Amino acid sequence: MTKASGRRSRRPTMVDVAREAGVALSTVSRVVNADPTVGAEFARRVQTAIDTLGYRPDEQAQQLRRGTSRTIGVAVREMSARNPLMAEFERGAYASGLTVFAASTADNEERERAVVLSMARRGFDGVLVEPIGPDHSYLAPEMAAGLAVVAIDRPITGPATDAVLADNAAGIRMAYRQLADHGHTRIAYIGDHERIFTARERADAFRACLRADGRPVTDMVHPGETEQARISEALRAVLSTESPATALVCGNVTTTFGVLTHLAAEVPRDQRPAIVGFDDFPLAGLLDPPMTVIAQDSPAMAHAALELMTARLAEPERGPEWVTVPVRLIARGSGERGPVVA
Amino acid sequence: MTKASGRRSRRPTMVDVAREAGVALSTVSRVVNADPTVGAEFARRVQTAIDTLGYRPDEQAQQLRRGTSRTIGVAVREMSARNPLMAEFERGAYASGLTVFAASTADNEERERAVVLSMARRGFDGVLVEPIGPDHSYLAPEMAAGLAVVAIDRPITGPATDAVLADNAAGIRMAYRQLADHGHTRIAYIGDHERIFTARERADAFRACLRADGRPVTDMVHPGETEQARISEALRAVLSTESPATALVCGNVTTTFGVLTHLAAEVPRDQRPAIVGFDDFPLAGLLDPPMTVIAQDSPAMAHAALELMTARLAEPERGPEWVTVPVRLIARGSGERGPVVA
């Protein structure tokens, strides 16, 4: 490999090689792809041009030829939120000879669309999407053109795709039951905004728990934005009524963090409610009290996503499949405290 | 866009379109790129084939033509570890019209090489790498062929590249000084393995602190693997001597978590050493005691990385530049406890 002479602002392309060698682009392509039908003289001229320019054969030419990139895109809300799942998915995909590239959508519909389309247009074979908005019609033509789509954590509305979901309703029922079993009769829910499918499932399941126990729903269910100010406001609402909540279910990790932050700053230790949080997190066991959580089975979800993706790539016309993965309660202390008597 | 008839196992390519239309590949390319010199009859035939097959113009063809992808790859140890930095970098890049795709290297040299080469061969314009091994000669031909490389957190050895580093030595000095100022004379260090540049810088800086204070270095500095067993072993070593350490500097977040886990399980609360951890983390302020940390300035590091990348893309021949970003001490409590009298 000879370094190209002079200054360049971009990598040399096959077009540059064709120009340098004075041959057709298709001839360069045939030489790069070791087509034996290329004449010796043409092959020599192309090779000389390749050496002169420092051209490096790339995946793109191979993709154009093969029609497959062995590349899967991952478009998730934020890289860290699903990290154990992402890491598992990446590990499994890598072991299967697939390359995985991830981009975050920052919970922004427009950015999701841009990210996913950019993956599709780069010839990625499939995308694993944590979908955001209510409209995914932009995916339909990409899917028709062969893009494999698997939704993770939430289903896609519009085109029918494979999806891997956690059993949100069962998780909420476990959380509620754990608190009720420890003597709580005033249990409140604070969680993410219901425009998100997962948040909606969780809030709905919580309402169903209250109703099943014949308890009032009003004022006890607080879905909404997960900014600290909104979470603090919801907490104040449930803790400062005449019959305050003695226990809380937090609908996701961000909410759990917000609740813990607020309680640490504003509520004396012995007045704090019992808590069960949805989703486990590092250090949960080192908090005081250690946090009881509903944990998703990230390895199982990653495994299911990779299986669906692989099946979809092998058989593009198969019917869409939803996989719901069980969750489990990890009792560590915060959910096993009895009600504080006011 | 018409859905292609029958079953397909891959996206249709320009080659398929050329075959369907009975024209040369270059003709398809010219039609897709709206070349006005294509004859009307050819253009019509190509368009019909495109509609029949459901071919979608892709970024790759455009890349081959333009010689630039406006795409930056990010290859980091794990997606979450550098998350605030990654998120900032991605946000900034996205705002500049660049697409960012990330892949994790899982701290594995071979995987780093595979990931970075796969980015280069897909025509990514640049890569932001958190380098692992001691040998990065594989990057030289890619850089010669135009790949912009910026190292993050650690410099690349071998080819000279841009790099963004945290001021590790200053951070360790702040941590040591904070503990010494609170009365500690037996301060130990537990951190990551010294094969990693950052870990080496931190351990070396710590040794220098001990020497500057005329204190013995032997047995007080424990770099190594960050598995729980090794961390517990190092902790036992420094806490169970005749003159045990009364304070600890933890070299990275994984070490901090391991130390906290061990202490929670095996050391009574009132016997625990003071701690300053390198790198901040969520919930650090909610632990008991709240964790004092050396915090990297992730937004500044991300900003510097994007600036270096942009400068490199604009001017490939500019000299390599290293940017060292200051760190700061966040005193929360764990580093401000005096020595426990045994």
Side-chain angles (χ1 to χ4, degrees):
Chain A
M1 181 60 53
T2 313
K3 193 172 183 304
S5 54
R7 291 163 61 106
R8 272 174 302 102
S9 62
R10 59 181 185 84
R11 298 167 67 87
T13 65
M14 291 221 287
V15 173
D16 298 324
V17 174
R19 195 174 295 129
E20 175 81 15
V23 302
L25 179 58
S26 58
T27 306
V28 177
S29 167
R30 285 160 65 210
V31 172
V32 166
N33 294 320
D35 180 336
T37 67
V38 180
E41 167 62 13
F42 278 122
R44 195 193 54 71
R45 273 162 62 185
V46 169
Q47 195 53 55
T48 304
I50 284 174
D51 291 346
T52 305
L53 295 176
Y55 168 79
R56 300 188 60 75
D58 65 23
E59 277 292 325
Q60 302 165 60
Q62 291 179 35
Q63 271 178 236
L64 286 173
R65 187 164 48 89
R66 284 198 313 253
T68 170
S69 62
R70 304 285 298 156
T71 304
I72 305 298
V74 172
V76 289
R77 197 172 178 181
E78 54 171 323
M79 303 266 188
S80 71
R82 304 261 114 215
N83 176 55
L85 197 155
M86 280 271 312
E88 286 289 338
F89 181 82
E90 212 184 0
R91 189 175 6 252
Y94 187 78
S96 314
L98 294 166
T99 300
V100 173
F101 288 132
S104 59
T105 58
D107 219 2
N108 178 310
E109 273 181 65
E110 216 167 295
R111 189 148 151 197
E112 176 202 303
R113 189 172 182 279
V115 158
V116 171
L117 286 179
S118 112
M119 289 168 169
R121 286 173 185 165
R122 279 174 174 79
F124 287 22
D125 293 337
V127 289
L128 181 71
V129 189
E130 185 178 21
I132 297 158
D135 176 21
H136 284 82
S137 54
Y138 76 90
L139 281 173
E142 301 303 329
M143 290 169 64
L147 184 72
V149 177
V150 176
I152 187 90
D153 194 52
R154 318 158 186 172
I156 279 168
T157 42
T161 77
D162 300 311
V164 178
L165 310 171
D167 194 342
N168 294 305
I172 288 294
R173 284 192 297 268
M174 287 179 205
Y176 180 90
R177 185 49 46 207
Q178 182 77 349
L179 293 165
D181 285 351
H182 285 81
H184 296 277
T185 54
R186 294 192 305 275
I187 308 171
Y189 172 92
I190 304 180
D192 207 348
H193 197 287
E194 287 193 276
R195 70 166 175 274
I196 295 160
F197 172 88
T198 309
R200 203 160 57 240
E201 277 207 330
R202 294 178 187 175
D204 278 343
F206 191 83
R207 290 186 189 100
C209 288
L210 290 177
R211 280 193 205 100
D213 272 1
R215 292 183 182 138
V217 172
T218 318
D219 301 335
M220 294 304 261
V221 186
H222 293 262
E225 302 302 333
T226 52
E227 276 102 50
Q228 185 64 54
R230 205 283 304 181
I231 291 169
S232 291
E233 195 187 325
L235 256 178
R236 282 193 201 100
V238 299
L239 295 180
S240 61
T241 57
E242 268 186 37
S243 7
T246 60
L248 287 176
V249 173
C250 298
N252 67 355
V253 166
T254 317
T255 305
T256 303
F257 286 13
V259 164
L260 293 176
T261 301
H262 178 90
L263 294 177
E266 301 203 9
V267 179
R269 189 174 294 269
D270 60 359
Q271 295 298 313
R272 292 180 193 161
I275 306 179
V276 179
F278 211 116
D279 287 346
D280 201 7
F281 53 92
L283 297 184
L286 295 181
L287 294 173
D288 182 24
M291 272 295 294
T292 294
V293 299
I294 302 298
Q296 303 197 37
D297 187 346
S298 295
M301 290 180 78
H303 186 76
L306 189 56
E307 290 238 307
L308 287 178
M309 182 63 77
T310 310
R312 173 73 38 207
L313 290 172
E315 196 189 339
E317 309 292 330
R318 71 196 289 272
E321 191 179 335
W322 285 20
V323 175
T324 302
V325 178
V327 297
R328 68 196 172 100
L329 178 102
I330 304 176
R332 295 199 181 101
S334 70
E336 292 69 38
R337 312 165 74 180
V340 171
V341 183
Chain B
M1 180 59 54
T2 311
K3 192 171 183 307
S5 55
R7 292 162 61 108
R8 271 175 301 100
S9 63
R10 57 183 185 83
R11 297 168 68 88
T13 66
M14 290 220 289
V15 173
D16 298 324
V17 174
R19 194 173 297 131
E20 175 82 16
V23 301
L25 180 57
S26 57
T27 307
V28 177
S29 168
R30 285 160 66 210
V31 172
V32 167
N33 294 320
D35 180 338
T37 68
V38 181
E41 168 59 13
F42 278 121
R44 195 193 53 73
R45 274 163 59 184
V46 168
Q47 195 53 55
T48 303
I50 284 174
D51 290 347
T52 304
L53 295 176
Y55 168 79
R56 299 186 61 74
D58 65 24
E59 277 292 324
Q60 303 166 58
Q62 291 179 34
Q63 273 177 234
L64 286 173
R65 187 164 48 90
R66 284 196 315 250
T68 170
S69 62
R70 304 285 297 157
T71 304
I72 306 297
V74 172
V76 289
R77 197 172 178 181
E78 54 170 325
M79 303 267 188
S80 71
R82 307 259 115 217
N83 176 56
L85 196 156
M86 281 271 313
E88 286 288 339
F89 181 83
E90 212 185 0
R91 191 176 3 252
Y94 187 78
S96 313
L98 294 165
T99 300
V100 173
F101 289 132
S104 59
T105 59
D107 219 2
N108 177 311
E109 274 182 63
E110 215 166 293
R111 189 149 152 194
E112 177 202 304
R113 189 172 182 281
V115 158
V116 171
L117 285 179
S118 113
M119 289 169 168
R121 287 175 184 165
R122 276 175 176 78
F124 287 21
D125 293 337
V127 288
L128 182 71
V129 189
E130 185 179 22
I132 297 158
D135 176 21
H136 284 82
S137 54
Y138 76 91
L139 280 174
E142 301 303 329
M143 290 168 65
L147 185 73
V149 177
V150 176
I152 187 89
D153 194 52
R154 318 158 185 173
I156 279 168
T157 42
T161 76
D162 300 311
V164 179
L165 310 170
D167 195 342
N168 294 305
I172 289 293
R173 284 193 296 269
M174 286 178 205
Y176 180 91
R177 186 49 46 208
Q178 182 78 347
L179 293 165
D181 285 352
H182 285 81
H184 296 275
T185 55
R186 295 192 304 274
I187 308 171
Y189 172 91
I190 304 180
D192 208 349
H193 198 287
E194 287 192 276
R195 69 167 176 274
I196 295 161
F197 172 88
T198 310
R200 203 159 58 240
E201 277 207 329
R202 294 177 188 176
D204 277 345
F206 190 82
R207 291 186 189 99
C209 288
L210 290 177
R211 283 194 202 98
D213 272 2
R215 294 188 178 134
V217 171
T218 318
D219 301 334
M220 294 303 262
V221 186
H222 293 262
E225 302 303 331
T226 52
E227 276 101 50
Q228 185 64 53
R230 205 283 303 180
I231 291 168
S232 291
E233 195 186 329
L235 255 179
R236 283 192 201 102
V238 300
L239 295 181
S240 60
T241 58
E242 267 186 37
S243 8
T246 60
L248 288 176
V249 174
C250 298
N252 67 356
V253 166
T254 317
T255 306
T256 303
F257 286 13
V259 163
L260 293 176
T261 302
H262 178 89
L263 293 176
E266 301 202 9
V267 179
R269 190 173 294 269
D270 60 359
Q271 295 297 313
R272 292 180 193 160
I275 305 178
V276 179
F278 211 116
D279 286 345
D280 201 7
F281 53 91
L283 298 185
L286 295 182
L287 294 173
D288 181 24
M291 273 294 295
T292 294
V293 299
I294 302 297
Q296 303 197 39
D297 187 345
S298 296
M301 290 180 77
H303 186 76
L306 189 56
E307 290 237 308
L308 287 177
M309 183 64 76
T310 310
R312 173 72 39 206
L313 290 172
E315 197 189 337
E317 309 292 330
R318 71 197 290 271
E321 192 178 335
W322 285 20
V323 175
T324 301
V325 178
V327 298
R328 69 196 170 98
L329 179 102
I330 305 177
R332 294 199 182 101
S334 69
E336 292 69 39
R337 312 164 76 179
V340 172
V341 182

